[in-house]
Structure formats: C-alpha cells, structure tokens
Amino acid sequence: MSTTESLAAALADGPVVLDGGMSNQLASAGHDLSDALWSARLLADEPEAVTAAHLAYFEAGADVAITASYQATFEGFARRGIGRERAAELLALSVECARTAAGRAPGAPRPRWVAASVGPYGAMLADGSEYRGRYGLSVAELERFHRPRLEVLASAAPDVLALETIPDSDEAEALLRAVRGLGVPAWVSYSAAGGRTRAGQPLEDAFALAARADEVIAVGVNCCTPEDADHAVSVAARVTDKPVVVYPNSGERWDARARAWAGEPTFSASRVTGWRDAGARLIGGCCRVGPEAIASVTGTLRGA
C-alpha cells in the first residue's frame, strides 16, 4: 500500500477526483475490447496500454486510478487458457500498471492513489447480467467466488478495493464478508436506476449494509446515469454517514441491436458541485467519461 496520506484521511479533508472510463480510453487509443475479458485482456496482451490509459487520467487531474481488473477473474482467464498462477500475476499487474502511471505523471500537490477494481459476478459472465443481478447464487456462494481474487488484489497493495457496479444487495453482502480481514479498506458502489439497485432493492436498504462495515470508507453509485446519481448521492449520505463515492456514466445509452451508443451525454462538470454539496467526496466518471470530462471535474472541485 502507498506510504502517502491514506485515502480515508484525504476524504476527511475534502473531495478527491476519480478517473473516468478505462474502456473508452483504451478504445479511443485503437484497442479492440470485443473480447469477453473486455479491458482485462490487455493485462495479458498489452499492459503498457493500460498504463497509458491511467496516465491520461492522472494528467487530467485525477487523484485516483481504478485498475483494469473489473472483469479479471480466475474463471474468465481460465476460459482463455490462462492458468491460475498466471491469472494471479495478471491481477497483481493491474495494480502495478496504475502505480506505474502514478509515478510517471507530472508532479501533483497531493498524493495519488490506486483503487483495485472488483466487478460483480455478472461481469465474469460477460452477458450483461451485472446490470440485473439475481444470479441464482447464495450469499455464501458469491463470497466464495469473490474471496480468492480479493486476496490476490489485496496482496498487491492497492490503497483501496473498489467494490463497484454492484447490482444486488445480496452480492454486496457477499463482498463485504469477503473483504474482512484483508487489511485493505474498500468502497462500495452500486449500479442503480430509479432509486433502486438494478435488482430492484431500495437504495436505502442497500446502502445500509455498507454503513455497518468498518472496512468501508465510502458508499455510493457508479455506472448509472448522472440523473440517477443526483438522487443516490443524497440517499447514501443520509443512510450511511460515510463519504459518498459517485462516478456515473456519460448518460448515453447502449443500443445492443445497433451496437452503438445513442442519445446525448448528460454528464457535466456543473453537476459536480451538487454531488459535492450533497456529501460526495470521491467524484469521477465511468463509461464514456474521458480525460477531458475529468479535467473539467478537477477544475470545478479545485476552483480552477
């Protein structure tokens, strides 16, 4: 773990800027992400591309890089013929790529942190079920799935574990069990719609699970629309009394039939002050939010 100021301590002082979407930054650099491993494929095939994507966000002013391990699992790598030992090396490499980018970025007035991404079970399935939840697995089964890669990621010494895009409070409960005793703090962020998790549970109930976890330093949402984020931030702050994490997508929607993004982006720096005033302390973007948007977030939060 970094020897600089802890992320939890920084959150007590004020807002911290997260990066934007890893996949859109890699795609804009010409990389094919159609593989079931998504951006995690490049950990095996071209890790320098991952480092370059992190660097672009640090140069835009981000304080925190979220690793390319969202879709990186032992099971997913095994389908590509990658054995368990090599898969563990690639998980650790995701943290190393982000740390390398932090070291290459120009000097900053504050530390830079690395968040090891832990996506939901559905991300491994690569069938869109991470936006539905309700996989038919028990909490204990989900805990057994998540714990091994959490152990590997924690051993790579990130500053925080990003338990992200969680569609279901059952999976959040499993993840919260799985992080106990690892010695690395975590944040919990749900994928939400209309004031509920993607699986349909009220956000109040979902956030309350994380409120009771000592390991959790922030609670909130990601990979939802900016409009849904507006509501979720205030709910998370009220229910948990913890710093809120928020990094929605651009507001565009994916048209699966046309295999293209549709609609206009609604992510804007003007929303950032509202999130901050409602209790958000970790603020950035997810899918389709690139370095230019993160630079605007940085400028807004720092008064530039």
Side-chain angles (χ1 to χ4, degrees):
M1 191 177 298
S2 171
T3 57
T4 60
E5 178 187 18
S6 74
L7 182 56
L11 295 179
D13 293 335
V16 172
V17 180
L18 295 173
D19 60 8
M22 169 62 70
S23 61
N24 50 264
Q25 184 59 20
L26 290 169
S28 68
H31 299 286
D32 179 10
L33 302 181
S34 60
D35 190 276
L37 285 175
W38 203 32
S39 55
R41 176 186 67 81
L42 293 174
L43 292 171
D45 297 347
E46 198 172 346
E48 183 57 34
V50 175
T51 299
H54 288 310
L55 180 59
Y57 285 114
F58 280 132
E59 290 175 337
D63 302 307
V64 182
I66 302 173
T67 65
S69 51
Y70 172 82
Q71 211 143 328
T73 63
F74 288 109
E75 294 81 357
F77 282 130
R79 288 197 294 265
R80 285 282 302 273
I82 297 173
R84 200 167 185 86
E85 182 176 351
R86 177 58 176 157
E89 291 173 353
L90 293 174
L91 283 163
L93 179 60
S94 71
V95 176
E96 182 182 334
C97 287
R99 196 71 78 192
T100 297
R104 290 182 187 174
R110 63 193 303 165
R112 295 187 176 99
W113 295 275
V114 172
S117 173
V118 180
Y121 178 84
M124 179 273 294
L125 299 177
D127 61 0
S129 59
E130 73 259 45
Y131 297 110
R132 300 188 299 270
R134 308 277 85 181
Y135 316 113
L137 299 178
S138 68
V139 171
E141 288 171 323
L142 288 168
E143 181 184 358
R144 286 195 293 273
F145 167 77
H146 284 295
R147 178 74 185 198
R149 66 171 172 155
L150 278 164
E151 290 175 342
V152 172
L153 288 168
S155 296
D159 299 290
V160 63
L161 296 163
L163 313 179
E164 58 176 357
T165 325
I166 303 171
D168 189 321
S169 58
D170 284 353
E171 185 156 27
E173 183 179 351
L175 282 160
L176 290 169
R177 289 184 187 180
V179 298
R180 289 175 189 159
L182 293 180
V184 179
W187 79 58
V188 175
S189 58
Y190 291 90
S191 177
R196 293 179 175 269
T197 68
R198 293 284 186 164
Q201 300 113 342
L203 282 178
E204 289 87 348
D205 296 342
F207 290 144
L209 287 173
R212 300 189 292 267
D214 293 338
E215 295 86 357
V216 174
I217 62 171
V219 181
V221 291
N222 76 289
C223 210
C224 58
T225 67
E227 292 79 9
D228 282 323
D230 293 343
H231 170 71
V233 168
S234 60
V235 174
R238 172 172 52 83
V239 170
T240 71
D241 198 32
K242 289 179 182 281
V244 176
V245 54
V246 56
Y247 49 119
N249 58 36
S250 69
E252 298 163 276
R253 63 178 179 82
W254 176 251
D255 186 329
R257 179 173 298 179
R259 297 196 61 78
W261 290 92
E264 295 296 321
T266 57
F267 184 101
S268 67
S270 63
R271 304 187 97 104
V272 167
T273 53
W275 296 335
R276 180 198 62 199
D277 294 346
R281 291 296 176 267
L282 276 165
I283 302 174
C286 201
C287 299
R288 303 279 288 178
V289 177
E292 184 176 348
I294 295 304
S296 295
V297 171
T298 303
T300 298
L301 292 177
R302 296 180 187 160

